[in-house]
Amino acid sequence: GAVVSQHPSWVICKSGTSVKIECRSLDFQATTMFWYRQFPKQSLMLMATSNEGSKATYEQGVEKDKFLINHASLTLSTLTVTSAHPEDSSFYICSAAGPSSYEQYFGPGTRLTVT
Amino acid sequence: GENVEQHPSTLSVQEGDSAVIKCTYSDSASNYFPWYKQELGKRPQLIIDIRSNVGEKKDQRIAVTLNKTAKHFSLHITETQPEDSAVYFCAAKAGQAGTALIFGKGTTLSVSS
C-alpha cells in the first residue's frame, strides 16, 4: 500500500514553454501533498505544501506564479512550471501523507530538462 | 521554521566497519525523524524512522538514536556492505500529516570492499 505515482518520469521542453507534472496517490487518500525540488548532488528542498481544495503554501523564495500547484482531489496534485527556463531544470519529487500518518510517501520523481 | 544540519557530507568506510551519520534539528516541536537512502535518479527510500517518544530504534544492521534535549539524532550502520553505498538523508517534521519533512543536506556513504 501507500503508492504514489508521478507522470511524466522525464520531460524535455524548450525555454519559455510550460510543463505540467502530475502526482497521484494510488491506494490512499492524501489530504496533503508536498512538492520538492532536487538539484544534482543536493538535498530535497521543499517548494510547497498543498491541501485538497485550498491554495498551496509556498516556501520562501519559491515563485507561486511560476510554479502553479493544484490539488483538485484527494488523489491528485499537479505542478505546472510556467515559462520554464534552463535554471528550472531539476528533479521534481512529490510526496503525500495520509490523514493520520507521520510518514510521507514519495513519488518516483520527474526529471525536467529545459533547453 | 525547521532547519536540519547533517554531518559528515561524505563518509568512506571499509566493508564490515560501522558508519555513523549525525543530524541536528532546530524546531523543538519536531517529533518525527526518518532516515532515507537515495540512489541516483530515484526516489528517497525510507530505511528507518523514530518518533520523539522513543530514544532508540533498531532494525537489523541499522539503528537510530534520538536525544531530544540536545536536538540531535544519529544513524548507525553496522557491518557495512558495498550495497550500502548511497546518499543518506535525515529529515525532521513536527506534527503528523499536515507538515512537511525538512531534509538535511545528505551524506554520501562509500563502502569499499
Side-chain angles (χ1 to χ4, degrees):
Chain A
V3 178
V4 176
S5 70
Q6 262 182 263
H7 179 80
S9 56
W10 60 269
V11 57
I12 301 173
C13 70
K14 292 187 182 297
S15 187
T17 62
S18 296
V19 173
K20 179 185 283 189
I21 302 170
E22 293 187 348
C23 177
R24 294 182 185 271
S25 55
L26 299 185
D27 52 3
F28 67 103
Q29 293 185 328
T31 53
T32 306
M33 287 186 172
F34 310 95
W35 287 94
Y36 293 83
R37 179 168 52 182
Q38 186 176 31
F39 292 110
K41 298 188 178 183
Q42 293 189 24
S43 185
L44 286 80
M45 298 301 295
L46 179 67
M47 298 176 67
T49 300
S50 71
N51 292 293
E52 184 263 340
S54 61
K55 289 184 178 180
T57 302
Y58 291 82
E59 295 299 299
Q60 191 172 11
V62 178
E63 300 174 59
K64 61 181 180 181
D65 294 331
K66 179 172 182 62
F67 298 98
L68 303 179
I69 293 171
N70 184 279
H71 192 160
S73 76
L74 286 173
T75 60
L76 173 65
S77 176
T78 60
L79 167 67
T80 301
V81 183
T82 63
S83 187
H85 289 98
E87 57 265 31
D88 298 324
S89 298
S90 188
F91 192 49
Y92 292 85
I93 307 176
C94 72
S95 70
S100 59
S101 172
Y102 283 85
E103 187 174 345
Q104 286 181 207
Y105 306 99
F106 287 88
T110 296
R111 172 75 57 193
L112 170 64
T113 301
V114 184
T115 61
Chain B
E2 177 65 275
N3 182 49
V4 179
E5 300 283 342
Q6 182 171 347
H7 298 280
S9 56
T10 61
L11 180 59
S12 297
V13 299
Q14 291 283 336
E15 182 178 2
D17 288 350
S18 295
V20 180
I21 304 171
K22 299 182 179 183
C23 288
T24 60
Y25 61 98
S26 62
D27 188 349
S28 57
S30 288
N31 57 3
Y32 178 63
F33 309 92
W35 286 88
Y36 293 88
K37 178 181 181 182
Q38 188 181 32
E39 297 180 355
L40 193 62
K42 298 193 174 180
R43 79 185 87 194
Q45 177 190 1
L46 178 69
I47 56 172
I48 196 167
D49 57 9
I50 191 167
R51 298 186 190 182
S52 60
N53 58 345
V54 176
E56 184 173 354
K57 183 176 178 181
K58 189 173 181 179
D59 182 4
Q60 299 184 338
R61 298 186 296 109
I62 295 174
V64 57
T65 58
L66 171 65
N67 183 326
K68 281 197 68 180
T69 303
K71 294 185 194 169
H72 67 71
F73 56 113
S74 301
L75 176 71
H76 303 253
I77 306 174
T78 58
E79 300 172 30
T80 55
Q81 302 166 2
E83 50 266 38
D84 293 330
S85 297
V87 180
Y88 291 81
F89 292 99
C90 63
K93 70 180 282 185
Q96 296 184 339
T99 55
L101 286 168
I102 301 302
F103 286 81
K105 291 190 183 300
T107 297
T108 301
L109 174 64
S110 299
V111 181
S112 54
S113 55

